[in-house]
């Protein structure tokens, strides 16, 4: 049996071994999900409109009564 | 803890108000002086326009000077809390890569891992290399070098690697995907760039500081530029090492609880990050819509909005990065930053942001439109000379004596000196401070440091018009809707041939020539005044080529030349051990 084994030349000791590498699924970071909600970065137009109306209403309320304001 | 944070916020509020008031006052004074000077022969719209432009550009300069002055005067920092004894939290060091040379990048991981274990092996720190590489050849090399890294560090189970199929959201998306999929496995994450290097002891100190303050969401270090070889790179490295700590101290004095994040060499609390930093796509097409490019500023603002503290600890040493080695690479990186910062215009009205975060966005935008303001001022000055009527020396009939207009030269000279002073004074003061405190010893001694400061001032003044041209082009491209994409960084020695420099800078020469011709035709009196701008533009290719050449020994010395940081020595050792024949993959 041994006579049929191929003869493999020895590698020099100091030569680094060529790494054989399988696709690294095994080396991927562990699965440990963390919920990461998308942030809101654009103001909602409706909220802006509401704020504008509230501001105007407050301004009108602060004005003294006169021709520009009934009552 | 809360009391300390509140007092920090109050102190920062006062400091900010002082800095803003001082810079606005300086700008208003400059604008007023210019208005008086310009309106001496009668007010016209160009005088008002130029006074406004002087106001804006002086504010920007004065803001920089105010930051430096704060840095020079706020030496005493409050004691920073740190967790003594055993560290409970688990930390992962994230290394995002994108078409980088894996041998050099993974050798950095090996060096940091060695440094961590040498500093204190009991503190659990792991690594995750997050590849966004699109080039399959480099990706294959990454996998081979990762196997080698694992074998060297015995890193199985604590050094991880994954490559995304699609690089959605670029670097921010890469980190986001990692945090969403694996973030719960760790408490803290140190975010690095592919060219970052940090000492193990520094990483441990950051972990202890974030562990000690449960409201601290992000802790930023001030990275030092290392391994620069070219004239341009050495000058940048010197400026970053010599001047930046003082500017950073000024920034730290103003930060309160809304400090900066520069995208890397920082530690984050993963729970806070996940809670606050899921970045949406902005509505509309790029460059203003789409993925957020300068994500770091936005992430800092979002953490602050979520009630987390974001802090720069400028006292932390042992944090390093590499910089561009030539003007072209600098301009390429700047193009990306320019688009990212201008994109922040869409976020100025984002709901719930702290006022200081909005102000930081404005600063970032201003950094890129400032060159355009100077250009507009030059153009308006040429137009003003062209349209100014000849002085009328005999305005009164039957009056035999000439009437000379008021001499306003003193005001113009005073203004020029003031603007020049705002540019130069901070750096000179930093130099004097370094000499007085003995910090200059590490930069070649008092004489050597002063010489380097003056050479750096000269060099930065000469190349400023070239950088101004690149920046202006970037801003105009973004405003015209051109997306700059995501080009990979060049990490080579940075040397450029003259042909490459000519190809990159000939358009600037043409604009310089056109500017000189226009000035000669329209306002010849300004020709010599504008030479400091037009002449460097004219010889831009020569400047680009010359500054990319390798600097001689001892040019712009920095402390790291004399005493190489241990983590750099480790990195060199790993690179030497990993030299050919495994390094056959060349990265373009």
């Amino acid at each position: 049996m041994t006579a049929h084994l191929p003869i493999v030349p020895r590698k020099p000791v100091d030569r680094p071994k060529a790494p054989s590498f399988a696709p690294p699924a095994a080396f991927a970071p562990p699965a440990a999900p963390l919920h990461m909600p998308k942030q809101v970065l654009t103001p909602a137009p409706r909220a802006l409109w509401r704020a504008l109306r509230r501001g105007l209403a407050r301004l009108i309320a602060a004005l003294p009564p006169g021709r520009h304001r009934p009552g | 803890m809360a009391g300390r944070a509140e007092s920090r916020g109050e102190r920062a509020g006062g400091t900010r108000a002082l800095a803003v008031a001082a810079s606005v006052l300086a700008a208003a004074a400059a604008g007023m002086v210019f208005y008086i000077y310009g309106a001496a022969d009668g007010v016209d719209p160009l005088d008002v326009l130029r006074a406004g432009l002087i106001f804006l550009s002086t504010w920007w300069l004065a803001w920089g000077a105010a930051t430096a002055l704060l840095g020079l005067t706020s030496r005493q920092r409050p004691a920073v809390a740190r967790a003594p004894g055993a560290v409970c939290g688990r930390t992962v060091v994230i290394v995002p890569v994108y078409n980088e040379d894996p041998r050099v990048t993974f050798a950095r991981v090996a060096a940091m891992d060695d440094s961590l274990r040498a500093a204190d092996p009991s503190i659990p720190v792991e690594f995750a290399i997050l590849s966004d590489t699109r080039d399959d050849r480099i990706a294959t090399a990454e996998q081979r070098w990762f196997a080698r890294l694992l074998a060297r560090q015995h890193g199985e189970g604590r050094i991880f690697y994954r490559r995304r199929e699609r690089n959605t959201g670029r670097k921010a998306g890469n980190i986001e995907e990692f945090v969403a999929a694996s973030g719960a496995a760790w408490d803290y994450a140190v975010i690095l760039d592919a060219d970052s290097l940090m000492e193990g002891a520094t990483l441990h100190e950051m972990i202890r500081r974030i562990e000690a303050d449960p409201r601290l969401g992000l802790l930023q270090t001030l990275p030092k530029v290392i391994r620069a070889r070219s004239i341009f790179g050495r000058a940048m490295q010197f400026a970053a090492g010599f001047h930046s700590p003082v500017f950073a101290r000024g920034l730290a004095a103003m930060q309160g609880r809304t400090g900066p994040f520069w995208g890397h060499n920082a530690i984050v609390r993963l729970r806070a990050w996940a809670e606050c930093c899921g970045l949406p796509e902005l509505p509309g097409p790029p460059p203003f819509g789409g993925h957020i490019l300068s994500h770091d500023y936005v992430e800092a603002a979002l953490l602050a909005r979520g009630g987390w503290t974001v802090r720069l600890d400028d006292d932390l040493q042992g944090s390093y990065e590499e910089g561009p080695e030539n003007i072209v690479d600098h301009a390429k990186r700047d193009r990306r930053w320019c688009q990212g910062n201008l994109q922040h215009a869409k976020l100025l009205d984002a709901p719930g942001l702290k006022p200081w975060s909005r102000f930081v966005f404005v600063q970032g935008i201003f950094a890129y439109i400032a060159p355009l303001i100077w250009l507009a001022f030059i153009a308006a000055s040429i137009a003003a000379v062209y349209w100014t009527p000849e002085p009328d020396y005999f305005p009164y009939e039957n009056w035999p004596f000439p009437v000379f207009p008021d001499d306003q030269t003193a005001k113009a000279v005073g203004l020029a000196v003031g603007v020049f002073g705002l540019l130069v004074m901070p750096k000179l003061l930093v130099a004097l401070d370094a000499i007085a405190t003995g910090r200059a010893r590490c930069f070649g001694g008092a004489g050597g440091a002063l010489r380097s400061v003056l050479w750096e001032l000269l060099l930065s003044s000469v190349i400023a018009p070239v950088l101004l041209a690149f920046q202006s082009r970037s801003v105009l491209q973004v405003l015209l809707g051109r997306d700059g994409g995501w080009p990979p960084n060049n990490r080579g020695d940075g040397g450029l041939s003259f042909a490459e420099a000519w190809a990159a800078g000939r358009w600037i020469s043409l604009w310089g020539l056109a500017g000189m011709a226009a000035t000669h035709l329209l306002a010849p009196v300004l020709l010599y005044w504008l030479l400091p701008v037009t002449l460097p533009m004219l010889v831009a290719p020569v400047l680009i080529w010359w500054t990319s050449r390798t600097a001689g020994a001892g040019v712009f010395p920095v402390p790291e030349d004399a005493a190489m940081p241990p983590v750099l020595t480790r990195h060199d050792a790993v690179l030497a051990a990993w030299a050919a024949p495994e390094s056959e993959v060349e990265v373009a």
Side-chain angles (χ1 to χ4, degrees), chain B residues 241-503:
Chain B
F242 193 76
H243 299 300
S244 292
V246 176
F247 282 87
R249 209 183 302 141
L251 198 60
M254 285 190 281
Q255 65 182 333
R257 300 181 65 189
T258 46
F261 175 39
W262 297 321
H264 53 90
N265 294 42
I267 191 168
V268 301
R269 187 179 301 275
L270 277 167
R271 189 165 63 82
W273 186 267
E275 192 181 296
C276 302
C277 296
L279 296 183
E281 273 191 49
L282 296 180
F288 285 100
H291 296 293
I292 296 174
L293 282 187
S294 291
H295 54 90
D296 40 11
Y297 282 29
V298 182
E299 285 151 352
L302 290 175
L303 281 168
R305 180 173 82 170
W308 298 95
T309 302
V310 179
R311 197 174 80 202
L312 162 68
D313 277 6
D314 57 291
D315 62 315
L316 283 169
Q317 302 295 315
S319 174
Y320 308 100
E321 64 170 334
E322 291 180 20
E325 287 279 14
N326 58 58
I327 292 175
V328 178
D329 284 346
H330 174 86
K332 203 163 84 174
R333 186 182 71 174
D334 215 45
R335 170 69 175 83
R336 204 175 68 231
W337 288 358
C338 170
Q339 185 171 331
N341 283 19
L342 295 184
Q343 199 184 29
H344 290 165
K346 273 203 153 179
L347 305 178
L348 288 174
D349 61 347
L353 293 187
K354 305 273 182 202
W356 187 252
S357 300
R358 296 185 207 275
F359 183 68
V360 169
F361 287 158
V362 171
Q363 276 185 74
I365 294 167
F366 215 89
Y368 285 94
I369 61 168
L372 285 184
I373 294 174
W374 279 114
L375 278 182
F377 175 74
I378 290 172
S381 296
I382 292 171
V385 170
Y386 182 69
W387 275 307
T388 299
E390 287 293 316
D392 181 6
Y393 295 109
F394 297 96
Y396 309 114
E397 272 183 47
N398 306 322
W399 184 255
F401 303 108
V403 175
F404 294 103
D406 285 345
D407 184 13
Q408 300 290 336
T409 313
K411 287 193 182 68
V413 172
L415 185 61
V417 169
V419 169
F420 188 69
L422 284 177
L423 270 170
V424 172
M425 183 260 307
K427 289 185 173 180
L428 289 181
L429 285 179
V430 171
L432 292 178
D433 176 74
I435 292 168
T437 56
R439 194 169 68 92
R441 269 198 297 274
C442 312
F443 291 87
L450 201 57
R451 205 167 34 246
S452 293
V453 168
L454 293 175
W455 275 115
E456 194 273 331
L457 267 172
L458 183 68
L459 184 67
S460 56
S461 307
V462 169
I463 63 174
V466 181
L467 299 180
L468 178 140
F470 276 117
Q471 269 194 347
S472 304
R473 184 176 71 169
S474 298
V475 174
L476 291 175
Q477 281 177 343
V478 174
L479 293 180
L480 291 172
R482 278 182 60 182
D483 181 18
W486 191 21
N489 291 312
N490 285 338
R491 311 267 192 217
D493 69 352
L496 295 173
S497 67
F498 189 77
E500 288 169 320
W502 172 252

Side-chain angles (χ1 to χ4, degrees), chain A residues 15-19 21 24 27-43, chain B residues 143 146-148 150 160-161 176 179-185 274-276 278-280 305 349-350:
Chain A
R15 190 188 146 84
K17 208 170 80 179
F21 192 80
F27 302 115
L34 203 52
H35 179 54
M36 203 162 176
K38 291 285 181 197
Q39 299 297 309
V40 177
L41 286 174
T42 40
Chain B
Q143 293 168 10
F146 179 69
R148 198 148 181 189
L150 274 192
F160 305 100
Y161 170 91
E176 185 176 327
V179 173
S182 309
E275 192 181 296
C276 302
L279 296 183
R305 180 173 82 170
D349 61 347

